[in-house]
């Protein structure tokens, strides 16, 4: 595919488990739920994001992955529940008397949210390649544990935060903030939301100034972190609901992601690819050393390229190229 050709990208905002959800779909396939269709692809690549789980961070990544796969398979990214800026007229929570899930914005809720999305939007006959990032790796292992009927061909776990998050170098710094001072963080976010877009863009670029090249879609998405969905007639807590959802989920990560689920890993080892960073303060290298020792036959890799944990900021194309290469043997067997 020539680089100047536009990559087909479809954008949707839907309710899933009653929560606003942003879906980006790469490729001409917009509906994969109709079992009777003869045009369904054999395989779906689905991205399970980290936190913040905004789909926009993965826009360049899914486009590069789709091109690397020679446009043969759909590549979708599904935001976490409530990690999006709903369009005008759409509320963060669906206005209905039926409550589908008790705590959709929590860590357990996000697992059920992804399973619910697949159940309602993807035919059970379609095989899956789950590509997960950061806390998305924990969510993916939970999905495989809870829904063994899923036809998972491969799960690629990038910079996996699947154990001892609060004990990691970054966790030790963030846990007190997220678990004890979380509500104090809401007001600065609320105040930042009123800044002009140009000022917010400058602040984001300043924060990312250490990167040689920064993905423009990441800058746009970062600006949306500090946006007020609707000002008029809404109390403060609703205005900052998206950021609150992100921080709430993060606080649960610190408390709940403790022990590695070695049982689920052992049961699915041949389907899993792990990719750890060398300087990752969320999952330090000794986590890699230990899981490598526990599972010597597993496909567990250590980054040799110096990629950062938040690879979507500046290395989406490089990561997509590596994943395409890793999966060549699996794809040729389809």
């Amino acid at each position: 595919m020539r680089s100047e050709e536009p990559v087909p990208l479809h954008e949707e905002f839907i309710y899933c488990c009653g929560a606003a959800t942003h879906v980006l779909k790469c490729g001409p396939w917009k509906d994969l739920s109709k079992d009777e269709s003869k045009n369904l692809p054999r395989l779906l690549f689905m991205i399970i994001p980290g936190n913040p789980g905004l789909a926009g961070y993965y826009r360049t990544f899914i486009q590069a992955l789709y091109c690397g796969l020679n446009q043969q398979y759909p590549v979708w990214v599904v935001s976490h529940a409530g990690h999006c800026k709903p369009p005008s007229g759409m509320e963060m929570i669906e206005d209905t008397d039926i409550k589908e899930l008790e705590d959709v914005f929590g860590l357990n809720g996000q697992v059920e949210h992804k399973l619910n999305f697949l159940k309602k939007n993807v035919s059970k006959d379609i095989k899956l390649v789950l590509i997960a990032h950061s806390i998305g790796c924990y969510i993916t292992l939970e999905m495989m544990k809870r829904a063994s009927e899923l036809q998972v061909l491969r799960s690629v776990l990038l910079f996996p935060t699947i154990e001892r998050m609060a004990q990691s170098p970054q966790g030790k710094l963030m846990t007190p903030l997220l678990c004890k001072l979380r509500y104090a963080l809401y007001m600065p976010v609320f105040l930042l939301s009123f800044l002009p877009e140009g000022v917010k863009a400058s602040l984001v670029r300043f924060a990312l100034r250490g990167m040689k090249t920064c993905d423009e879609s990441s800058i746009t998405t970062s600006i949306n972190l500090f946006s007020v969905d609707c000002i008029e007639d809404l109390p403060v807590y609703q205005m900052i609901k998206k950021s609150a959802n992100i921080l709430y989920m993060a606080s649960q990560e610190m408390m709940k992601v403790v022990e590695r689920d070695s049982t689920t890993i052992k049961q699915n080892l041949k389907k899993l690819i792990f990719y750890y960073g060398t300087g990752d303060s969320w999952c330090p290298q000794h986590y890699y050393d230990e899981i490598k020792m526990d599972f010597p036959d597993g496909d567990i890799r250590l980054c040799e390229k110096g990629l950062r944990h938040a690879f979507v900021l500046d290395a989406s194309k490089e990561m997509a190229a590596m994943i395409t290469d890793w999966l060549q043997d699996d794809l040729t067997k389809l």
Side-chain angles (χ1 to χ4, degrees), residues 211-248:
M211 300 180 189
K212 292 181 179 179
T213 56
C214 188
D215 194 312
E216 282 299 319
S217 63
S218 293
I219 293 175
T220 303
T221 304
S222 296
I223 293 171
N224 285 336
L225 284 172
F226 307 108
S227 63
V228 176
D229 296 330
C230 180
I231 302 297
E232 188 175 355
D233 296 329
L234 286 181
V236 169
Y237 78 89
Q238 285 181 313
M239 294 189 213
I240 57 174
K241 184 63 179 171
K242 174 179 57 187
S243 296
N245 293 339
I246 291 169
L247 294 172
Y248 171 61

Side-chain angles (χ1 to χ4, degrees), residues 187-201:
M187 187 52 67
V189 172
F190 173 66
L191 295 175
L192 284 169
S193 68
F194 290 100
L195 292 175
E197 293 299 300
V199 175
K200 284 190 279 189

